[in-house]
Coordinates of all heavy atoms in Angstrom, one line a residue:
V288 N 23.1 -18.9 34.3 CA 22.1 -20.0 34.4 C 22.7 -21.3 35.1 O 22.1 -21.9 35.9 CB 21.6 -20.4 33.0 CG1 20.8 -21.7 33.0 CG2 20.7 -19.2 32.5
Q289 N 24.0 -21.5 34.7 CA 24.6 -22.7 35.3 C 24.9 -22.5 36.8 O 25.0 -23.4 37.5 CB 26.0 -22.9 34.6 CG 25.8 -23.5 33.2 CD 27.1 -23.6 32.4 OE1 28.1 -23.0 32.8 NE2 27.1 -24.2 31.2
A290 N 24.9 -21.2 37.2 CA 25.1 -20.9 38.6 C 23.8 -20.9 39.4 O 23.8 -20.7 40.6 CB 25.8 -19.5 38.7
G291 N 22.7 -21.1 38.7 CA 21.4 -21.2 39.4 C 20.4 -20.2 39.0 O 19.2 -20.3 39.5
F292 N 20.7 -19.2 38.3 CA 19.7 -18.2 37.9 C 18.8 -18.8 36.8 O 19.1 -19.6 36.0 CB 20.3 -16.9 37.4 CG 21.0 -16.1 38.4 CD1 22.3 -16.1 38.7 CD2 20.1 -15.3 39.3 CE1 22.9 -15.3 39.7 CE2 20.7 -14.5 40.3 CZ 22.1 -14.5 40.5
K293 N 17.5 -18.2 36.8 CA 16.6 -18.6 35.8 C 16.7 -17.6 34.6 O 17.1 -16.5 34.8 CB 15.1 -18.6 36.3 CG 14.9 -19.4 37.6 CD 15.1 -20.9 37.3 CE 14.8 -21.8 38.5 NZ 15.1 -23.2 38.2
I294 N 16.3 -18.1 33.4 CA 16.3 -17.3 32.2 C 15.5 -16.0 32.5 O 15.9 -14.9 32.1 CB 15.7 -18.0 31.0 CG1 16.7 -19.0 30.5 CG2 15.3 -17.0 29.9 CD1 18.0 -18.4 29.9
K295 N 14.4 -16.1 33.2 CA 13.5 -14.9 33.4 C 14.2 -13.9 34.2 O 13.9 -12.7 34.1 CB 12.2 -15.4 34.1 CG 12.4 -15.9 35.5 CD 11.0 -16.3 36.1 CE 11.2 -16.8 37.5 NZ 9.9 -17.2 38.1
D296 N 15.2 -14.3 35.0 CA 16.0 -13.3 35.8 C 16.9 -12.5 35.0 O 17.3 -11.4 35.4 CB 16.8 -14.1 36.9 CG 16.0 -14.9 37.8 OD1 14.9 -14.5 38.2 OD2 16.4 -16.0 38.2
L297 N 17.2 -13.0 33.8 CA 18.3 -12.3 32.9 C 17.7 -11.5 31.8 O 18.4 -10.7 31.2 CB 19.1 -13.4 32.3 CG 19.7 -14.5 33.2 CD1 20.5 -15.5 32.4 CD2 20.5 -13.9 34.3
L298 N 16.4 -11.5 31.6 CA 15.8 -10.9 30.5 C 15.8 -9.4 30.5 O 15.7 -8.7 29.4 CB 14.3 -11.4 30.3 CG 14.2 -12.9 30.0 CD1 12.7 -13.2 30.0 CD2 14.8 -13.2 28.7
N299 N 16.0 -8.8 31.6 CA 16.0 -7.3 31.7 C 17.4 -6.7 31.9 O 17.6 -5.6 32.3 CB 15.1 -6.8 32.9 CG 13.7 -7.2 32.6 OD1 13.2 -7.0 31.5 ND2 13.0 -7.6 33.7
L300 N 18.4 -7.5 31.6 CA 19.8 -7.1 31.7 C 20.5 -6.7 30.4 O 21.7 -6.4 30.4 CB 20.6 -8.2 32.4 CG 20.2 -8.7 33.8 CD1 21.1 -9.8 34.2 CD2 20.3 -7.5 34.7
N301 N 19.7 -6.6 29.4 CA 20.2 -6.1 28.1 C 21.2 -7.1 27.4 O 22.0 -6.6 26.6 CB 20.8 -4.7 28.2 CG 19.7 -3.7 28.5 OD1 18.6 -3.8 28.0 ND2 20.0 -2.7 29.3
Y302 N 21.1 -8.3 27.8 CA 21.9 -9.3 27.0 C 21.3 -9.4 25.6 O 20.1 -9.3 25.5 CB 21.9 -10.7 27.7 CG 22.8 -10.8 28.9 CD1 22.3 -10.8 30.2 CD2 24.2 -10.8 28.7 CE1 23.2 -10.9 31.3 CE2 25.1 -10.9 29.8 CZ 24.6 -11.0 31.1 OH 25.4 -11.1 32.2
N303 N 22.1 -9.7 24.6 CA 21.5 -9.9 23.3 C 20.9 -11.2 23.2 O 21.1 -12.2 24.0 CB 22.6 -9.6 22.2 CG 23.7 -10.6 22.2 OD1 23.4 -11.8 22.2 ND2 24.9 -10.2 22.1
A304 N 20.0 -11.3 22.2 CA 19.2 -12.5 22.0 C 20.1 -13.8 21.8 O 19.7 -14.9 22.2 CB 18.2 -12.3 20.8
T305 N 21.2 -13.6 21.1 CA 22.1 -14.8 20.8 C 22.6 -15.3 22.1 O 22.6 -16.6 22.3 CB 23.2 -14.4 19.9 OG1 22.7 -13.9 18.7 CG2 24.1 -15.5 19.6
E306 N 23.1 -14.5 23.0 CA 23.6 -14.9 24.3 C 22.5 -15.6 25.1 O 22.8 -16.6 25.8 CB 24.1 -13.7 25.1 CG 25.4 -13.0 24.4 CD 25.7 -11.7 25.0 OE1 24.8 -11.0 25.5 OE2 26.9 -11.3 24.9
L307 N 21.3 -15.1 25.1 CA 20.3 -15.6 25.9 C 19.8 -17.0 25.4 O 19.5 -17.9 26.1 CB 19.1 -14.7 26.0 CG 19.3 -13.4 26.8 CD1 18.3 -12.4 26.6 CD2 19.4 -13.8 28.3
K308 N 19.8 -17.1 24.0 CA 19.4 -18.4 23.4 C 20.4 -19.4 23.8 O 20.1 -20.6 24.1 CB 19.3 -18.3 21.9 CG 18.7 -19.6 21.3 CD 18.9 -19.6 19.8 CE 18.4 -20.9 19.3 NZ 18.7 -21.1 17.9
R309 N 21.7 -19.1 23.7 CA 22.8 -20.0 24.1 C 22.6 -20.5 25.5 O 23.0 -21.6 25.9 CB 24.1 -19.3 23.9 CG 25.3 -20.3 23.9 CD 26.6 -19.5 23.6 NE 26.6 -18.9 22.3 CZ 26.8 -17.7 22.1 NH1 27.1 -16.8 23.1 NH2 26.8 -17.2 20.9
A310 N 22.0 -19.7 26.4 CA 21.8 -20.1 27.8 C 20.5 -20.9 28.0 O 20.3 -21.3 29.1 CB 21.8 -18.8 28.6
G311 N 19.7 -21.0 26.9 CA 18.5 -21.8 27.0 C 17.2 -21.1 26.8 O 16.2 -21.6 27.0
A312 N 17.3 -19.8 26.5 CA 16.1 -19.0 26.4 C 15.3 -19.5 25.2 O 15.8 -19.7 24.1 CB 16.4 -17.5 26.3
K313 N 14.0 -19.5 25.4 CA 13.1 -19.9 24.3 C 12.6 -18.7 23.5 O 12.6 -17.5 24.1 CB 11.8 -20.7 24.8 CG 12.2 -21.9 25.6 CD 12.9 -22.9 24.8 CE 13.2 -24.2 25.7 NZ 14.0 -25.2 24.9
L314 N 12.2 -18.9 22.3 CA 11.7 -17.7 21.5 C 10.6 -17.0 22.2 O 10.6 -15.7 22.3 CB 11.2 -18.2 20.2 CG 10.6 -17.2 19.2 CD1 11.6 -16.1 18.9 CD2 10.0 -17.8 18.0
I315 N 9.7 -17.7 22.8 CA 8.5 -17.1 23.5 C 9.0 -16.2 24.7 O 8.4 -15.2 24.9 CB 7.5 -18.2 23.9 CG1 6.2 -17.5 24.4 CG2 8.1 -19.1 25.0 CD1 5.4 -16.9 23.3
D316 N 10.1 -16.7 25.4 CA 10.6 -15.9 26.5 C 11.1 -14.5 26.0 O 10.8 -13.5 26.6 CB 11.8 -16.6 27.1 CG 11.4 -18.0 27.7 OD1 10.3 -18.1 28.2 OD2 12.3 -18.9 27.7
L317 N 11.8 -14.5 24.9 CA 12.3 -13.3 24.4 C 11.3 -12.4 23.8 O 11.3 -11.1 23.9 CB 13.4 -13.6 23.3 CG 14.6 -14.4 23.9 CD1 15.6 -14.7 22.8 CD2 15.2 -13.8 25.0
V318 N 10.3 -13.0 23.2 CA 9.2 -12.2 22.6 C 8.4 -11.5 23.8 O 8.2 -10.2 23.7 CB 8.2 -13.0 21.8 CG1 7.0 -12.2 21.4 CG2 8.9 -13.6 20.6
K319 N 8.1 -12.2 24.8 CA 7.4 -11.6 26.0 C 8.3 -10.6 26.7 O 7.7 -9.6 27.3 CB 7.0 -12.7 26.9 CG 5.9 -13.6 26.4 CD 5.5 -14.7 27.4 CE 4.3 -15.5 26.9 NZ 3.9 -16.6 27.8
A320 N 9.6 -10.7 26.6 CA 10.5 -9.7 27.2 C 10.6 -8.5 26.3 O 11.3 -7.5 26.7 CB 11.8 -10.3 27.5
G321 N 10.0 -8.5 25.1 CA 10.1 -7.3 24.3 C 11.1 -7.3 23.2 O 11.4 -6.3 22.6
Y322 N 11.8 -8.4 23.0 CA 12.8 -8.4 22.0 C 12.1 -8.4 20.6 O 11.2 -9.2 20.3 CB 13.7 -9.7 22.1 CG 14.8 -9.6 23.2 CD1 14.4 -9.8 24.5 CD2 16.1 -9.3 22.8 CE1 15.4 -9.7 25.5 CE2 17.0 -9.2 23.8 CZ 16.7 -9.4 25.2 OH 17.6 -9.3 26.2
P323 N 12.5 -7.5 19.7 CA 11.8 -7.3 18.4 C 12.3 -8.4 17.5 O 13.3 -9.0 17.6 CB 12.3 -5.9 18.0 CG 13.7 -5.8 18.6 CD 13.6 -6.5 19.9
L324 N 11.5 -8.6 16.4 CA 11.7 -9.6 15.4 C 13.1 -9.3 14.7 O 13.8 -10.2 14.3 CB 10.6 -9.6 14.4 CG 10.7 -10.6 13.2 CD1 10.9 -12.0 13.8 CD2 9.5 -10.5 12.3
S325 N 13.5 -8.0 14.6 CA 14.7 -7.7 14.0 C 15.9 -8.3 14.8 O 16.9 -8.7 14.2 CB 14.9 -6.2 13.9 OG 14.8 -5.6 15.2
D326 N 15.8 -8.5 16.1 CA 16.8 -9.1 16.9 C 16.7 -10.7 16.8 O 17.8 -11.4 16.9 CB 16.7 -8.7 18.4 CG 17.1 -7.3 18.6 OD1 17.7 -6.7 17.7 OD2 16.8 -6.8 19.7
L327 N 15.5 -11.2 16.7 CA 15.3 -12.6 16.7 C 15.5 -13.3 15.4 O 15.7 -14.5 15.3 CB 13.9 -12.9 17.3 CG 13.6 -12.3 18.6 CD1 12.2 -12.6 19.0 CD2 14.6 -12.8 19.7
R328 N 15.4 -12.4 14.3 CA 15.3 -13.0 12.9 C 16.5 -13.9 12.6 O 16.4 -14.9 11.9 CB 15.3 -11.8 12.0 CG 15.6 -12.1 10.5 CD 14.4 -12.8 9.9 NE 14.6 -13.0 8.5 CZ 15.2 -14.0 8.0 NH1 15.7 -15.0 8.8 NH2 15.3 -14.2 6.7
Y329 N 17.7 -13.5 13.1 CA 18.9 -14.3 12.8 C 19.4 -15.2 13.9 O 20.5 -15.7 13.9 CB 20.0 -13.3 12.3 CG 19.6 -12.5 11.1 CD1 19.2 -11.2 11.3 CD2 19.6 -13.1 9.9 CE1 18.8 -10.4 10.2 CE2 19.1 -12.4 8.8 CZ 18.8 -11.0 8.9 OH 18.4 -10.3 7.8
V330 N 18.6 -15.3 15.0 CA 18.9 -16.1 16.1 C 18.2 -17.4 16.1 O 18.7 -18.5 16.4 CB 18.7 -15.3 17.4 CG1 19.0 -16.2 18.6 CG2 19.5 -14.1 17.5
F331 N 16.9 -17.3 15.7 CA 16.0 -18.5 15.6 C 15.8 -18.8 14.1 O 15.8 -17.9 13.3 CB 14.7 -18.3 16.4 CG 14.9 -18.2 17.9 CD1 15.2 -16.9 18.4 CD2 14.9 -19.3 18.7 CE1 15.4 -16.8 19.8 CE2 15.1 -19.2 20.1 CZ 15.3 -17.9 20.6
N332 N 15.6 -20.0 13.8 CA 15.3 -20.3 12.4 C 13.9 -19.9 12.0 O 13.0 -19.7 12.9 CB 15.6 -21.8 12.1 CG 14.6 -22.8 12.8 OD1 13.4 -22.6 12.8 ND2 15.2 -23.8 13.4
E333 N 13.6 -19.8 10.8 CA 12.3 -19.3 10.3 C 11.2 -20.2 10.7 O 10.1 -19.7 11.0 CB 12.4 -19.2 8.7 CG 13.3 -18.1 8.2 CD 13.3 -18.0 6.7 OE1 12.9 -18.9 6.1 OE2 13.7 -16.9 6.3
R334 N 11.4 -21.5 10.7 CA 10.3 -22.4 11.1 C 9.9 -22.1 12.6 O 8.7 -22.1 12.9 CB 10.8 -23.8 11.0 CG 9.7 -24.8 11.1 CD 10.1 -26.2 10.6 NE 10.4 -26.1 9.1 CZ 10.9 -27.2 8.4 NH1 11.1 -28.3 9.0 NH2 11.1 -27.0 7.2
E335 N 10.9 -21.9 13.5 CA 10.5 -21.6 14.9 C 9.8 -20.2 15.0 O 8.8 -20.1 15.7 CB 11.8 -21.5 15.7 CG 12.5 -22.8 15.9 CD 13.8 -22.6 16.7 OE1 14.8 -21.9 16.1 OE2 13.9 -23.1 17.8
I336 N 10.2 -19.2 14.2 CA 9.6 -17.9 14.3 C 8.2 -18.0 13.8 O 7.2 -17.5 14.4 CB 10.4 -16.9 13.5 CG1 11.8 -16.6 14.2 CG2 9.7 -15.6 13.4 CD1 12.7 -15.8 13.4
I337 N 8.0 -18.6 12.7 CA 6.7 -18.7 12.1 C 5.7 -19.5 12.9 O 4.6 -19.2 13.2 CB 6.7 -19.3 10.6 CG1 7.5 -18.3 9.7 CG2 5.3 -19.5 10.1 CD1 8.0 -19.0 8.4
G338 N 6.3 -20.7 13.4 CA 5.5 -21.6 14.2 C 5.1 -21.0 15.6 O 4.1 -21.4 16.2
S339 N 5.8 -20.0 16.0 CA 5.5 -19.4 17.3 C 4.2 -18.6 17.3 O 3.5 -18.4 18.3 CB 6.6 -18.5 17.8 OG 6.6 -17.3 17.1
K340 N 3.8 -18.2 16.1 CA 2.6 -17.4 15.9 C 2.6 -16.1 16.9 O 1.5 -15.7 17.3 CB 1.3 -18.2 16.1 CG 1.2 -19.3 15.1 CD -0.1 -20.0 15.2 CE -0.2 -21.1 14.1 NZ -1.5 -21.8 14.1
Q341 N 3.7 -15.6 17.1 CA 3.9 -14.4 17.9 C 3.9 -13.1 17.1 O 3.9 -12.0 17.7 CB 5.1 -14.5 18.8 CG 5.1 -15.6 19.8 CD 3.9 -15.5 20.8 OE1 3.7 -14.4 21.4 NE2 3.1 -16.5 20.9
F342 N 4.0 -13.3 15.8 CA 4.2 -12.1 14.9 C 3.1 -12.1 13.8 O 2.7 -13.1 13.4 CB 5.6 -12.1 14.3 CG 6.7 -12.1 15.3 CD1 7.3 -13.3 15.6 CD2 7.1 -11.0 15.9 CE1 8.3 -13.4 16.6 CE2 8.1 -11.0 16.9 CZ 8.7 -12.2 17.2
S343 N 2.8 -10.9 13.4 CA 1.8 -10.8 12.3 C 2.5 -11.1 11.0 O 3.7 -11.0 10.9 CB 1.2 -9.4 12.3 OG 2.2 -8.5 11.8
L344 N 1.7 -11.5 10.0 CA 2.2 -11.8 8.7 C 2.9 -10.5 8.1 O 3.9 -10.6 7.4 CB 1.1 -12.3 7.8 CG 1.6 -12.8 6.4 CD1 2.7 -13.8 6.5 CD2 0.4 -13.4 5.6
V345 N 2.4 -9.4 8.4 CA 3.0 -8.1 8.0 C 4.4 -8.0 8.5 O 5.3 -7.6 7.8 CB 2.1 -6.9 8.4 CG1 2.8 -5.6 8.0 CG2 0.7 -6.9 7.7
E346 N 4.6 -8.3 9.8 CA 5.9 -8.2 10.4 C 6.8 -9.2 9.7 O 8.0 -8.9 9.4 CB 5.8 -8.5 11.9 CG 5.2 -7.4 12.7 CD 5.1 -7.8 14.2 OE1 4.3 -8.7 14.5 OE2 5.8 -7.2 15.0
L347 N 6.3 -10.4 9.5 CA 7.2 -11.5 8.9 C 7.6 -11.1 7.5 O 8.7 -11.4 7.1 CB 6.4 -12.8 8.9 CG 6.0 -13.3 10.3 CD1 5.2 -14.6 10.2 CD2 7.2 -13.6 11.2
K348 N 6.6 -10.5 6.8 CA 7.0 -10.0 5.4 C 8.0 -8.9 5.5 O 9.0 -8.9 4.7 CB 5.7 -9.5 4.8 CG 5.9 -8.9 3.4 CD 4.6 -8.4 2.8 CE 4.8 -7.9 1.3 NZ 5.8 -6.8 1.2
T349 N 7.8 -8.0 6.4 CA 8.8 -6.8 6.5 C 10.2 -7.3 6.7 O 11.1 -6.7 6.2 CB 8.4 -5.9 7.7 OG1 7.0 -5.4 7.5 CG2 9.3 -4.7 7.9
Y350 N 10.4 -8.4 7.5 CA 11.7 -8.8 7.8 C 12.2 -10.0 6.8 O 13.2 -10.7 7.1 CB 11.9 -9.3 9.2 CG 11.9 -8.1 10.1 CD1 10.7 -7.6 10.8 CD2 13.0 -7.3 10.3 CE1 10.7 -6.5 11.6 CE2 13.0 -6.2 11.1 CZ 11.9 -5.8 11.7 OH 11.9 -4.6 12.5
G351 N 11.4 -10.2 5.7 CA 11.8 -11.0 4.7 C 11.9 -12.5 4.9 O 12.7 -13.2 4.4
L352 N 11.0 -13.0 5.8 CA 11.0 -14.4 6.0 C 10.5 -15.2 4.8 O 9.7 -14.7 4.0 CB 10.1 -14.8 7.2 CG 10.8 -14.8 8.6 CD1 11.1 -13.4 9.0 CD2 10.0 -15.5 9.6
N353 N 11.1 -16.3 4.6 CA 10.9 -17.1 3.4 C 9.4 -17.4 3.2 O 8.7 -18.0 4.0 CB 11.6 -18.4 3.5 CG 11.7 -19.2 2.2 OD1 10.7 -19.4 1.6 ND2 12.9 -19.7 1.9
I354 N 8.9 -17.0 2.0 CA 7.5 -17.1 1.7 C 7.1 -18.6 1.6 O 5.9 -19.0 1.8 CB 7.1 -16.3 0.5 CG1 5.6 -16.2 0.3 CG2 7.7 -16.9 -0.8 CD1 5.1 -15.3 -0.7
F355 N 8.0 -19.4 1.2 CA 7.7 -20.9 1.1 C 7.4 -21.5 2.4 O 6.6 -22.4 2.6 CB 8.8 -21.6 0.3 CG 8.9 -21.3 -1.1 CD1 9.7 -20.3 -1.6 CD2 8.0 -22.0 -2.0 CE1 9.8 -20.1 -3.0 CE2 8.1 -21.7 -3.4 CZ 8.9 -20.7 -3.9
E356 N 8.2 -21.0 3.4 CA 7.9 -21.4 4.8 C 6.6 -20.9 5.3 O 5.8 -21.5 6.0 CB 9.0 -21.0 5.7 CG 10.3 -21.8 5.6 CD 10.2 -23.3 5.9 OE1 9.4 -23.6 6.8 OE2 11.0 -24.1 5.4
L357 N 6.3 -19.6 5.0 CA 5.1 -19.0 5.4 C 3.9 -19.6 4.8 O 2.8 -19.7 5.4 CB 5.1 -17.5 5.0 CG 6.2 -16.6 5.7 CD1 6.2 -15.2 5.1 CD2 5.9 -16.5 7.2
K358 N 4.0 -20.1 3.6 CA 2.9 -20.8 2.8 C 2.4 -22.0 3.6 O 1.3 -22.4 3.4 CB 3.4 -21.1 1.4 CG 2.3 -21.5 0.5 CD 2.9 -21.8 -0.9 CE 1.8 -22.3 -1.9 NZ 2.3 -22.6 -3.2
K359 N 3.3 -22.6 4.4 CA 2.8 -23.8 5.1 C 1.8 -23.4 6.2 O 1.2 -24.3 6.7 CB 4.1 -24.5 5.7 CG 5.0 -25.0 4.7 CD 6.3 -25.5 5.3 CE 7.3 -26.0 4.3 NZ 8.6 -26.4 4.9
V360 N 1.8 -22.1 6.6 CA 1.0 -21.7 7.7 C -0.1 -20.8 7.3 O -1.2 -20.8 7.8 CB 1.9 -21.0 8.8 CG1 1.0 -20.5 9.9 CG2 3.0 -22.0 9.3
Y361 N 0.2 -19.9 6.3 CA -0.8 -18.9 6.0 C -1.5 -19.2 4.6 O -0.9 -19.8 3.7 CB -0.1 -17.5 5.9 CG 0.4 -17.0 7.2 CD1 1.8 -17.3 7.6 CD2 -0.4 -16.4 8.1 CE1 2.2 -16.9 8.9 CE2 0.1 -16.0 9.4 CZ 1.4 -16.2 9.7 OH 1.8 -15.8 10.9
S362 N -2.7 -18.6 4.5 CA -3.5 -18.8 3.3 C -3.1 -17.7 2.2 O -2.6 -16.7 2.6 CB -5.0 -18.8 3.6 OG -5.3 -17.5 4.0
L363 N -3.6 -17.9 1.0 CA -3.4 -16.9 0.0 C -4.1 -15.6 0.3 O -3.6 -14.5 0.1 CB -3.9 -17.4 -1.4 CG -3.9 -16.5 -2.5 CD1 -2.5 -15.9 -2.8 CD2 -4.4 -17.1 -3.8
K364 N -5.3 -15.8 0.9 CA -6.0 -14.6 1.3 C -5.3 -13.8 2.3 O -5.2 -12.5 2.3 CB -7.4 -15.0 1.9 CG -8.3 -13.8 2.3 CD -9.6 -14.3 2.8 CE -10.5 -13.2 3.2 NZ -11.9 -13.6 3.7
E365 N -4.6 -14.5 3.3 CA -3.8 -13.7 4.3 C -2.6 -13.1 3.7 O -2.3 -12.0 4.0 CB -3.4 -14.7 5.4 CG -4.6 -15.2 6.3 CD -4.2 -16.3 7.2 OE1 -3.6 -17.3 6.7 OE2 -4.4 -16.2 8.4
F366 N -2.0 -13.7 2.7 CA -0.9 -13.1 2.0 C -1.3 -11.8 1.3 O -0.7 -10.8 1.4 CB -0.3 -14.1 0.9 CG 0.6 -15.1 1.5 CD1 0.4 -16.5 1.1 CD2 1.6 -14.8 2.3 CE1 1.3 -17.4 1.6 CE2 2.5 -15.8 2.8 CZ 2.3 -17.1 2.5
A367 N -2.5 -11.9 0.6 CA -3.0 -10.7 -0.1 C -3.3 -9.6 0.9 O -2.9 -8.4 0.6 CB -4.2 -11.1 -0.9
M368 N -3.9 -9.9 2.0 CA -4.2 -8.9 3.0 C -3.0 -8.3 3.6 O -3.0 -7.1 4.0 CB -5.1 -9.5 4.1 CG -6.5 -9.8 3.5 SD -7.6 -10.6 4.8 CE -7.7 -9.2 6.0
A369 N -1.9 -9.1 3.7 CA -0.6 -8.6 4.3 C 0.2 -7.7 3.3 O 1.2 -7.2 3.6 CB 0.2 -9.7 4.8
G370 N -0.3 -7.6 2.0 CA 0.4 -6.8 1.1 C 1.4 -7.5 0.2 O 2.2 -6.8 -0.5
Y371 N 1.4 -8.8 0.1 CA 2.2 -9.5 -0.9 C 1.8 -9.1 -2.3 O 0.6 -9.1 -2.6 CB 2.2 -11.0 -0.6 CG 3.1 -11.4 0.5 CD1 2.6 -11.4 1.8 CD2 4.4 -11.8 0.3 CE1 3.4 -11.8 2.9 CE2 5.2 -12.1 1.4 CZ 4.7 -12.1 2.7 OH 5.5 -12.5 3.7
G372 N 2.7 -8.9 -3.2 CA 2.4 -8.6 -4.5 C 2.2 -9.8 -5.4 O 2.6 -10.9 -5.1
A373 N 1.6 -9.6 -6.6 CA 1.4 -10.7 -7.5 C 2.7 -11.4 -7.9 O 2.7 -12.6 -8.1 CB 0.7 -10.1 -8.8
Q374 N 3.8 -10.6 -8.1 CA 5.0 -11.2 -8.5 C 5.5 -12.2 -7.4 O 5.9 -13.3 -7.7 CB 6.1 -10.1 -8.7 CG 7.4 -10.6 -9.2 CD 7.4 -11.2 -10.6 OE1 7.2 -10.4 -11.5 NE2 7.6 -12.5 -10.7
E375 N 5.5 -11.8 -6.1 CA 5.9 -12.6 -5.0 C 5.1 -13.9 -5.0 O 5.6 -15.0 -4.8 CB 5.8 -11.9 -3.7 CG 6.7 -10.7 -3.6 CD 6.4 -9.8 -2.4 OE1 5.4 -9.2 -2.3 OE2 7.3 -9.8 -1.4
L376 N 3.8 -13.7 -5.2 CA 2.9 -14.9 -5.1 C 3.0 -15.8 -6.3 O 2.9 -17.0 -6.1 CB 1.4 -14.4 -4.9 CG 1.2 -13.6 -3.6 CD1 -0.2 -13.0 -3.6 CD2 1.4 -14.4 -2.4
K377 N 3.3 -15.2 -7.4 CA 3.5 -16.1 -8.6 C 4.8 -16.9 -8.4 O 4.8 -18.1 -8.7 CB 3.7 -15.2 -9.8 CG 4.0 -16.0 -11.1 CD 4.1 -15.0 -12.3 CE 4.3 -15.8 -13.6 NZ 5.6 -16.5 -13.7
N378 N 5.8 -16.3 -7.9 CA 7.1 -17.0 -7.6 C 6.9 -18.1 -6.6 O 7.7 -19.0 -6.6 CB 8.2 -16.0 -7.2 CG 8.6 -15.0 -8.2 OD1 8.3 -15.2 -9.4 ND2 9.2 -13.9 -7.9
C379 N 5.9 -17.9 -5.8 CA 5.6 -18.9 -4.7 C 4.8 -20.1 -5.2 O 4.5 -21.0 -4.5 CB 5.0 -18.2 -3.5 SG 4.7 -19.2 -2.1
G380 N 4.3 -19.9 -6.5 CA 3.6 -21.0 -7.1 C 2.1 -20.8 -7.2 O 1.4 -21.7 -7.7

Side-chain angles (χ1 to χ4, degrees):
V288 168
Q289 288 173 351
F292 286 102
K293 304 295 184 184
I294 286 293
K295 66 180 181 179
D296 301 323
L297 312 179
L298 294 176
N299 295 319
L300 296 179
N301 294 322
Y302 282 109
N303 66 47
T305 301
E306 294 168 331
L307 290 168
K308 185 191 178 193
R309 195 178 295 127
K313 304 298 182 185
L314 175 62
I315 189 68
D316 299 326
L317 300 182
V318 172
K319 289 181 177 179
Y322 282 78
L324 181 55
S325 56
D326 289 347
L327 305 176
R328 168 73 176 84
Y329 300 103
V330 177
F331 294 88
N332 66 51
E333 293 184 336
R334 191 166 297 178
E335 289 177 295
I336 292 174
I337 295 166
S339 74
K340 296 188 177 179
Q341 296 298 310
F342 303 97
S343 71
L344 185 53
V345 173
E346 290 176 290
L347 299 176
K348 177 182 184 297
T349 300
Y350 288 98
L352 270 73
N353 190 312
I354 192 171
F355 287 96
E356 288 294 333
L357 294 172
K358 190 177 179 182
K359 297 173 183 176
V360 177
Y361 294 95
S362 67
L363 174 56
K364 183 177 181 180
E365 289 171 309
F366 280 132
M368 291 178 66
Y371 281 85
Q374 181 70 68
E375 294 171 292
L376 297 174
K377 178 179 183 291
N378 294 342
C379 187

